[in-house]
């Protein structure tokens, strides 16, 4: 089984976010980048298929050279090879089209993507990729078992979970539950050294055009000052809730 894991290069959630050029560009200065958490769950599950079923695992990213450390980390975790599509990730549809070419050229049986990235939270790429490659699709996937070409998956739905039986080729949008956080792997020294020798192929983009663009970024408004009320001053609390907060 050939597995392709889509990897997004995203800011660590602890990084301080700023914008430049009149709030039209994201300022990367001082920002630590990591593997998108939903993608990391998928990569860890792919490692299980590699170790238990002899699958081959390739990771892919749409991005410029500054994303290569993230791909190298994925190789250190255990992926066999990496591919970088040499273009800026513009929007969901252009990324999906660029990935489609890789999927078709590599004849992958299973494509694991995160259900969304934590930077833009678009949640569009996995479904678009499945449509463009004529593959089956399971989103919000929290469990995945494969026997031959037969697939049993569990996905989260409103109010519960749903078990789905399908077949390869398949694209999934994975998330926490596909593996648990305790199962995530930290690259060890041996993995880091081996990653240096694994192939990281850079391919030129097909030139998929973006369908939208970001005009301006805005940070959430700062929270107002907090008013503290003594625990025995119920009248003042009611007054504030009624006249200032206007919630009662």
């Amino acid at each position: 089984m050939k597995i392709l894991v889509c990897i997004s290069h995203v800011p660590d959630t602890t990084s301080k976010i700023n914008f430049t050029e009149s709030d039209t560009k994201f300022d990367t200065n001082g920002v630590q980048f990591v593997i998108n958490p939903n993608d990391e769950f998928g990569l860890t599950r792919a490692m299980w298929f590699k170790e238990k079923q002899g699958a081959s695992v390739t990771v892919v990213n749409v991005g410029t050279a500054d994303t290569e450390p993230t791909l190298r980390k994925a190789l250190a975790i255990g992926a066999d090879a990496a591919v970088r599509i040499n273009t800026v990730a513009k929007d969901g549809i252009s990324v999906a089209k660029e990935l489609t070419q890789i999927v078709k050229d590599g004849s992958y049986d299973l494509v694991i993507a995160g259900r969304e990235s934590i930077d833009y939270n678009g949640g569009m790429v996995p479904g678009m990729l499945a449509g463009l490659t004529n593959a089956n699709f399971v989103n919000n996937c929290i469990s995945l078992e494969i026997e031959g070409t037969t697939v049993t998956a569990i996905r989260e739905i409103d109010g519960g979970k749903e078990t789905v039986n399908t077949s390869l080729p398949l694209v999934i949008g994975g998330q926490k539950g596909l593996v648990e956080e305790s199962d995530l792997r930290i690259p060890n020294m041996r993995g880091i050294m081996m990653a240096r020798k694994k192939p990281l192929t850079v391919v030129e983009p097909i030139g998929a055009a973006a369908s939208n663009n970001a005009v301006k970024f805005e940070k959430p408004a700062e929270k107002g000052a907090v008013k503290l009320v003594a625990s025995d001053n119920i009248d003042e609390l009611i007054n504030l809730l009624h006249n200032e907060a206007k919630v009662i």
Side-chain angles (χ1 to χ4, degrees):
M1 180 168 58
K2 295 182 67 176
I3 302 176
L4 182 69
V5 182
C6 303
I7 299 291
S8 290
H9 173 80
V10 299
D12 191 310
T13 53
T14 61
S15 297
K16 186 176 181 180
I17 301 302
N18 289 301
F19 302 101
T20 61
E21 299 181 29
S22 301
D23 293 332
T24 61
K25 301 292 183 183
F26 174 56
D27 185 3
T28 59
N29 290 322
V31 175
Q32 177 70 36
F33 284 83
V34 297
I35 298 174
N36 181 51
N38 286 320
D39 302 340
E40 194 167 5
F41 292 127
L43 176 60
T44 303
R45 188 59 179 162
M47 290 299 99
W48 188 92
F49 288 121
K50 175 183 175 179
E51 293 163 2
K52 304 296 183 181
Q53 299 183 6
S56 65
V57 178
T58 300
V59 291
V60 62
N61 165 261
V62 178
T64 52
D66 59 349
T67 69
E68 290 191 6
T70 297
L71 286 174
R72 287 292 179 193
K73 179 180 178 182
L75 291 172
I77 288 172
D80 300 300
V83 176
R84 178 173 67 81
I85 303 172
N86 189 31
T87 186
V88 175
K90 304 178 188 74
D91 68 352
I93 186 61
S94 63
V95 168
K97 287 179 178 178
E98 295 291 350
L99 292 172
T100 294
Q101 192 63 44
I102 300 299
V103 174
K104 290 181 176 178
D105 289 347
S107 300
Y108 291 97
D109 304 297
L110 173 65
V111 179
I112 301 178
R115 68 181 177 92
E116 64 181 0
S117 60
I118 63 169
D119 48 6
Y120 289 96
N121 299 102
M124 299 181 290
V125 172
M128 290 177 174
L129 184 56
L132 290 167
T133 57
N134 295 315
N136 294 317
F137 177 51
V138 178
N139 203 20
N140 301 325
C141 187
I142 57 172
S143 177
L144 185 67
E145 301 291 342
I146 300 175
E147 187 66 39
T149 60
T150 302
V151 179
T152 302
I154 300 175
R155 63 173 184 159
E156 282 191 347
I157 59 174
D158 289 342
K161 302 175 182 178
E162 180 181 51
T163 299
V164 178
N165 293 318
T166 185
S167 61
L168 301 177
L170 173 69
V171 177
I172 71 161
Q175 62 181 60
K176 182 180 177 180
L178 196 56
V179 299
E180 296 302 323
E181 288 187 27
S182 58
D183 297 322
L184 297 178
R185 304 183 181 192
I186 299 174
N188 55 31
M189 185 55 66
R190 182 172 181 271
I192 293 170
M193 297 302 292
M194 290 181 64
R196 296 178 180 178
K197 300 178 181 179
K198 292 179 179 179
L200 195 164
T201 304
V202 179
V203 300
E204 291 307 310
I206 62 172
S211 297
N212 57 71
N213 66 290
V215 176
K216 186 178 181 180
F217 296 96
E218 291 183 15
K219 292 184 179 181
E222 292 187 7
K223 294 182 179 179
V226 175
K227 288 188 177 181
L228 300 177
V229 180
S231 60
D232 58 351
N233 193 351
I234 302 301
D235 291 339
E236 177 63 13
L237 176 61
I238 293 173
N239 176 59
L240 291 171
L241 291 173
H242 179 68
N243 294 311
E244 290 196 19
K246 299 186 184 303
V247 294
I248 61 174

